Amino acid sequence: TGDTLKYYCEMNDQDDEKFFTKGGRESENVDAGVGTQDIIDGTGKWKTFIGSTCTYGIKYKDDVVFASQKCKLPKS
């Protein structure tokens, strides 16, 4: 069996707007995997995404992180 990874994260985009996530994943390999995260707060354009659940893939290589995610906007 793998590890259960849980986290809270603050991210800044290129416009210096922030969003905050809570997420986790189960993985055999800590350096790569797929998980889900919820956007729990945000500034600027990210306010639209509060309440969204996102599926992401991530891969760590040395000091670089490669990641992509797809989010579903919360229902109004």
Side-chain angles (χ1 to χ4, degrees), residues 1 26 43 68 71:
T1 66
E26 303 230 358
T43 64
S68 66
C71 302

Side-chain angles (χ1 to χ4, degrees), residues 5-33:
L5 307 168
K6 294 186 180 201
Y7 63 87
Y8 287 89
C9 193
E10 174 184 333
M11 299 183 214
N12 293 358
D13 68 15
Q14 65 274 13
D15 299 319
D16 206 28
E17 295 177 341
K18 296 180 181 184
F19 63 100
F20 303 85
T21 62
K22 170 178 79 169
R25 65 183 168 97
E26 303 230 358
S27 183
E28 296 277 332
N29 179 357
V30 175
D31 291 334

Side-chain angles (χ1 to χ4, degrees), residues 46-61:
W46 295 105
K47 287 183 180 242
T48 305
F49 290 92
I50 294 171
S52 295
T53 297
C54 309
T55 301
Y56 69 89
I58 193 163
K59 170 81 174 140
Y60 295 92
K61 175 70 175 145

